[in-house]
Amino acid sequence: MRYESTIVRDWERLKVLVDPRRRGFEFEAFIGSLFRSAHFEVIQNPSVGGSRQVDLLAKMGGQIYLVEAKWWKRKPGPAEVQGLEDRLRRTAANVLGLFVSYSGFTQGAIDRVQGTPERPILLVTGDELEQVVGNAEDFPRMLRRKRDAMVTHAKAIFVSNQRQVNSLEQTNSLPSSPETFVLSDGTRSSWLYCGGRFGRFIFMRELFDIDWVPGAGFGVVLDIPLEVTDEHGLLALLNRLATLGWVTSSGRWSIQQSAHTWHGTGADAFAAQLADWKTRYKGLLDLHHTEEFCYADSYDELGFYTLTGQLAAWDERVVWRPSLSFQLNGVPIDPAPLHHLCEQFGITSNLYFRPRGEKSVARYHIEGNQGVILDVVGFVVEHDENEGDWVVGLIADNPFRRTSLGQLDSPEGWPKMVVDSELIICSLRSLHLLRSPKAIYRLWSYELAWTSDGLLFNPIADWDDDRDFWAVELPATCPVRLSRSKSIVIDP
């Protein structure tokens, strides 16, 4: 939400005022206006903090700031910070200090703030006010990030060192997936490359059905726009999601280019491939200036979400339109975790639950009773310490891929954005050991679910019975034998 033009005009007028005394008084009033625009209650010259006067007390819910505002030529030092500390000690323990100085702060003042985090004091400079004065949502978001950095890391952060903020949030806590892709040549990896086109879809092993509840009606949607500007911030956000418990080992993802697609399992592999984009692009042609990404994961037992957006395919790695889309059973009776999530990411815009107008998961079956025989080129496996690798999914040629003539003969409900994918990744209805491949695998059905920005797609396959086995049980050391050999670029 843009600030009213009066606030912007007041800020510009302050910068050209000649009388320092008048400017000091009006600067205090201006800081009060910033808080009021963010829906804080503001008290001028409050009596808290003892006999020495403070400029403002701003409060909203559990957020309370004791504010000192100075427009001096010199930078406040440790003595001025100590004065605010003394007044803070006479207030309740949940009150934070906020020192706003147009000229900035000496290194001594910054060191003192970072050395006494038991009563946190946040520092705001004139340069930072210049950054946020144009938008009512930016000011509380900036304070929240400063508060989190001070409380968690005892660091005073500023707009000029945003990379430091992101590095504090990036804790390398991303879980890995128990699933591994095994290709016809024995290569194993948590991701694979194939031909394809743009389309934010992910091959899932199973779909969470948010409508599988006793009550009538359908689930709800919560869309959260994110303030992320580059790849570094995106990775920091993903790590923050993990530290908050919103990333699990069941996450799957995809990255799409104009003629190329990468699919994978696990948030750690997703982060690695985002960062190693130059290696992914090596030797590829027909590259677009932008790539799209889509990550999907579950949310407790209430539903699932997708993280989507676009990334620049050049060194700056700019991010466009990043968004979280939650699909939930219903409106949670306790929305505190979602509130906390928004608070952590500085989301101050109005958010709301929207009821879905139709069921979340759509299911389709292949017509007839024969299914579609798949040309399998790899397996999705999970390892068991006692029994070895179990096949839980298949990697196969897409039986309904768009032809060179543009003709398409796909069954009802088969997603249009999947028809350009060279491969499909299927879940397997009946599991078997990797060392015991089957003669024939068939696609029997498929299911899909949409979020606001992405598609989750689960083709479901099975194998024919023992009478169709074409190979005896193989030793665990033997290579996997498939219907035919196929060369796929994949990371060893």
Side-chain angles (χ1 to χ4, degrees):
M1 178 180 69
R2 298 291 299 178
Y3 276 128
E4 296 180 3
S5 59
T6 53
I7 294 181
V8 178
R9 287 198 302 268
D10 287 345
W11 174 246
E12 296 300 326
R13 186 171 54 82
L14 275 173
K15 292 190 291 185
V16 297
L17 273 180
V18 177
D19 184 347
R21 182 178 178 84
R22 179 183 173 188
R23 184 175 57 199
F25 282 122
E26 294 197 15
F27 186 47
E28 296 172 12
F30 177 78
I31 299 301
S33 298
L34 286 181
F35 273 108
R36 290 188 184 93
S37 296
H39 310 295
F40 279 77
E41 178 186 355
V42 177
I43 302 173
Q44 301 276 154
N45 303 321
S47 58
V48 296
S51 57
R52 294 186 62 185
Q53 187 182 74
V54 290
D55 297 329
L56 301 170
L57 183 74
K59 59 181 182 178
M60 179 178 65
Q63 302 180 61
I64 307 177
Y65 293 98
L66 194 65
V67 185
E68 189 81 22
K70 301 298 180 188
W71 192 308
W72 294 342
K73 288 186 178 180
R74 70 174 180 88
K75 298 179 178 180
E80 287 78 20
V81 171
Q82 183 178 358
L84 183 53
E85 289 175 8
D86 294 339
R87 281 163 272 177
L88 267 178
R89 293 191 186 98
R90 299 183 178 92
T91 64
N94 64 329
V95 179
L96 277 70
L98 176 62
F99 204 137
V100 185
S101 168
Y102 181 80
S103 58
F105 299 90
T106 66
Q107 188 59 48
I110 296 172
D111 292 342
R112 184 172 185 90
V113 164
Q114 295 181 150
T116 56
E118 64 275 5
R119 291 308 301 268
I121 295 178
L122 313 183
L123 304 180
V124 175
T125 68
D127 288 340
E128 291 181 300
L129 290 179
E130 191 77 51
Q131 298 292 323
V132 303
V133 74
N135 195 305
E137 297 173 357
D138 288 346
F139 181 60
R141 182 183 296 119
M142 177 184 69
L143 295 182
R144 187 175 293 111
R145 302 198 73 166
K146 285 176 174 287
R147 181 196 65 195
D148 291 345
M150 179 58 64
V151 171
T152 306
H153 305 284
K155 293 291 184 181
I157 61 171
F158 302 95
V159 168
S160 60
N161 60 358
Q162 190 61 44
R163 288 277 176 157
Q164 178 187 359
V165 182
N166 292 332
S167 66
L168 293 175
E169 295 177 344
Q170 192 161 336
T171 58
N172 298 319
S173 57
L174 297 175
S176 59
S177 170
E179 299 177 333
T180 303
F181 297 143
V182 180
L183 300 184
S184 57
D185 60 359
T187 303
R188 292 171 176 254
S189 179
S190 57
W191 66 278
L192 62 85
Y193 159 82
C194 68
R197 290 191 177 276
F198 287 117
R200 296 178 185 176
F201 71 92
I202 304 174
F203 292 112
M204 302 296 292
R205 181 172 166 183
E206 58 182 348
L207 299 185
F208 190 106
D209 192 346
I210 62 176
D211 300 312
W212 194 255
V213 294
F218 307 119
V220 298
V221 178
L222 175 64
D223 293 326
I224 303 178
L226 300 168
E227 293 293 330
V228 176
T229 58
D230 59 14
E231 177 192 282
H232 193 89
L234 179 63
L235 296 179
L237 181 147
L238 194 63
N239 277 275
R240 176 59 68 88
L241 277 172
T243 60
L244 295 174
W246 295 77
V247 177
T248 74
S249 60
S250 62
R252 282 197 177 186
W253 53 270
S254 67
I255 304 173
Q256 304 90 28
Q257 254 285 351
S258 57
H260 316 279
T261 306
W262 296 262
H263 295 280
T265 65
D268 58 342
F270 177 52
Q273 294 311 310
L274 285 177
D276 198 25
W277 62 280
K278 289 185 178 180
T279 301
R280 282 193 287 112
Y281 285 178
K282 189 175 181 179
L284 299 182
L285 302 176
D286 301 323
L287 291 173
H288 194 263
H289 57 71
T290 304
E291 64 181 16
E292 295 183 338
F293 62 87
C294 188
Y295 174 84
D297 212 331
S298 59
Y299 168 56
D300 290 339
E301 297 181 356
L302 296 178
F304 60 93
Y305 69 88
T306 56
L307 169 63
T308 60
Q310 296 177 317
L311 263 171
W314 64 80
D315 287 337
E316 284 75 10
R317 296 294 276 170
V318 180
V319 173
W320 292 283
R321 292 181 289 279
S323 176
L324 281 169
S325 181
F326 286 89
Q327 309 291 310
L328 307 175
N329 289 336
V331 179
I333 193 170
D334 180 13
L338 291 167
H339 278 296
H340 181 61
L341 177 70
C342 293
E343 183 178 87
Q344 290 294 306
F345 294 144
I347 307 299
T348 57
S349 57
N350 292 326
L351 301 177
Y352 45 84
F353 296 101
R354 292 185 295 109
R356 290 183 57 93
E358 59 184 3
K359 287 188 175 184
S360 172
V361 178
R363 295 181 173 89
Y364 300 89
H365 294 272
I366 300 295
E367 293 184 3
N369 57 1
Q370 297 299 315
V372 175
I373 296 179
L374 294 173
D375 196 357
V376 176
V377 300
F379 292 130
V380 184
V381 305
E382 283 192 10
H383 184 72
D384 181 89
E385 292 295 336
N386 298 319
E387 298 180 299
D389 290 329
W390 282 95
V391 175
V392 299
L394 308 174
I395 305 169
D397 282 338
N398 185 355
F400 305 116
R401 190 181 186 189
R402 193 190 305 270
T403 68
S404 59
L405 299 177
Q407 298 173 341
L408 182 64
D409 185 20
S410 58
E412 177 189 4
W414 192 265
K416 291 183 178 180
M417 67 173 59
V418 180
V419 299
D420 290 308
S421 178
E422 177 186 3
L423 301 176
I424 59 172
I425 303 174
C426 307
S427 61
L428 193 60
R429 194 160 54 190
S430 302
L431 310 188
H432 64 77
L433 289 170
L434 179 61
R435 62 177 178 265
S436 302
K438 308 307 176 183
I440 298 176
Y441 296 89
R442 300 177 189 269
L443 177 69
W444 288 103
S445 61
Y446 43 96
E447 56 185 17
L448 54 95
W450 288 93
T451 68
S452 297
D453 301 297
L455 168 67
L456 280 58
F457 185 50
N458 178 27
I460 302 170
D462 209 341
W463 41 273
D464 288 1
D465 60 29
D466 292 351
R467 292 171 299 175
D468 294 319
F469 282 9
W470 57 271
V472 297
E473 185 165 321
L474 301 174
T477 55
C478 285
V480 178
R481 296 175 60 190
L482 301 174
S483 57
R484 68 177 177 85
S485 175
K486 186 176 183 67
S487 174
I488 300 178
V489 180
I490 192 167
D491 184 33

